[in-house]
Amino acid sequence: MNKTIAQLKKAAKQNLLGHYGSVIGALILTLLFGIVLSIPFDTMTQQGLYYGVFSRVILGYAGALIVSLVTLIFGAGLSHIHLQVARGQKTRWSELFYTFRNRPDRYIGFGLLEILLSVACIAPGYLCMMPFLLTDGVTAASIGLAALGAALLVAGCIILIIVAYSWSMTTFILLDDDYIRVTDAIRESRRLMRGRKWKFFVLSLSFIGWLLFSVLTCFVGLLWILPYMAQAQTCFYLDLLPETSRHEESGDFDQSQTYRYGNYQ
């Protein structure tokens, strides 16, 4: 790990020159897909809640989950494009569908694990707070449970953030190794991020100013800011790899020869 945060961001800006059309086009497609396909399921859920039709609520949530998982595959496609850009390869927005052709089940599996992790971290706090939120009368017991639930919720969120940063390189690893299993990719991400989570957190935090500035542009600026963030995170990943596996500036990376992580095949 050699580059500073400033150097990673500078490299990201340089990499994106001449590639903004591809990455912005892919980003717009991903956003449109998620929004358009979510509308009928969100409507179904709202109608089910309003009219008390439990089956519609279940179908709405199930549909929303499927859309979320497919959107994750698109997200992995975006990461694939950013890897191509960072390695000096030619790319186009149609590369967004690369992950649909190459083991999409792995990205779905990783997404499901992330969902389970979120539920495991947050559910205990919410369950403890439910009696306080649902009952009309306030009792000492309900207040105690609410306080315990709030503490568990805060602790769960902290654990979730730490684990999320520990797992943050998993998608890149899956993209770089067509044969690695999801659990092994997570294990490798944890290894790569050991002692580096704080730096990755600071890198993410350094974009807060840009994100706040996007409000002044009615969020249109996000079309440039989000690719900048994603490319900086991609540069961070490549900086974790052995020197011979980075191919950041040489442009000679052979996509058919992916980087292998250990003996997980």
Side-chain angles (χ1 to χ4, degrees):
M1 186 98 186
N2 301 314
K3 291 184 178 179
T4 64
I5 290 175
Q7 290 172 329
L8 290 171
K9 295 176 74 172
K10 181 180 179 180
K13 287 188 285 188
Q14 291 175 341
N15 292 343
L16 286 170
L17 292 177
H19 293 286
Y20 268 108
S22 298
V23 295
I24 290 177
L27 176 61
I28 291 174
L29 274 179
T30 301
L31 294 174
L32 285 177
F33 174 85
I35 292 171
V36 171
L37 286 192
S38 293
I39 290 175
F41 297 111
D42 291 341
T43 302
M44 187 181 300
T45 301
Q46 292 171 3
Q47 290 177 347
L49 292 172
Y50 183 80
Y51 293 108
V53 183
F54 188 67
S55 59
R56 290 183 69 85
V57 175
I58 295 297
L59 288 174
Y61 279 126
L65 175 61
I66 293 173
V67 172
S68 297
L69 292 175
V70 177
T71 303
L72 284 173
I73 305 177
F74 274 109
L78 272 175
S79 296
H80 166 68
I81 290 175
H82 278 284
L83 274 174
Q84 288 184 312
V85 170
R87 282 168 168 153
Q89 296 175 271
K90 293 181 180 180
T91 189
R92 53 189 184 276
W93 63 264
S94 59
E95 286 295 319
L96 182 67
F97 302 98
Y98 169 83
T99 45
F100 284 90
R101 305 188 301 268
N102 293 270
R103 301 287 306 278
D105 56 296
R106 297 190 303 160
Y107 306 103
I108 292 175
F110 178 51
L112 288 173
L113 286 176
E114 288 185 305
I115 292 172
L116 290 174
L117 171 67
S118 300
V119 171
C121 290
I122 294 175
Y126 274 120
L127 290 175
C128 286
M129 295 176 70
M130 288 300 286
F132 178 81
L133 297 174
L134 297 179
T135 56
D136 295 330
V138 177
T139 63
S142 64
I143 292 175
L145 281 174
L148 176 61
L152 288 174
L153 194 59
V154 171
C157 288
I158 293 173
I159 293 172
L160 180 60
I161 291 171
I162 293 173
V163 176
Y165 273 94
S166 182
W167 291 11
S168 58
M169 300 296 118
T170 302
T171 297
F172 291 123
I173 294 168
L174 291 173
L175 287 167
D176 261 351
D177 193 330
D178 292 336
Y179 300 96
I180 194 171
R181 294 173 297 185
V182 174
T183 52
D184 292 327
I186 291 173
R187 187 179 301 116
E188 183 63 21
S189 177
R190 290 172 57 192
R191 186 189 68 81
L192 288 175
M193 292 300 290
R194 193 172 297 124
R196 288 144 179 169
K197 290 185 283 293
W198 176 252
K199 185 172 183 178
F200 192 57
F201 173 75
V202 174
L203 174 64
S204 303
L205 202 64
S206 68
F207 290 96
I208 289 294
W210 283 108
L211 294 174
L212 293 176
F213 176 75
S214 71
V215 177
L216 301 178
T217 65
C218 297
F219 299 102
V220 175
L222 288 177
L223 294 177
W224 285 266
I225 296 168
L226 293 179
Y228 178 26
M229 291 178 61
Q231 183 61 206
Q233 292 169 347
T234 305
C235 291
F236 183 95
Y237 163 71
L238 291 176
D239 201 42
L240 297 175
L241 301 184
E243 188 69 32
T244 55
S245 303
R246 294 179 188 173
H247 304 272
E248 293 176 77
E249 300 172 356
S250 63
D252 61 353
F253 181 74
D254 184 355
Q255 191 172 350
S256 65
Q257 296 177 350
T258 52
Y259 181 61
R260 294 291 181 264
Y261 292 88
N263 297 314
Y264 297 129
Q265 300 177 43

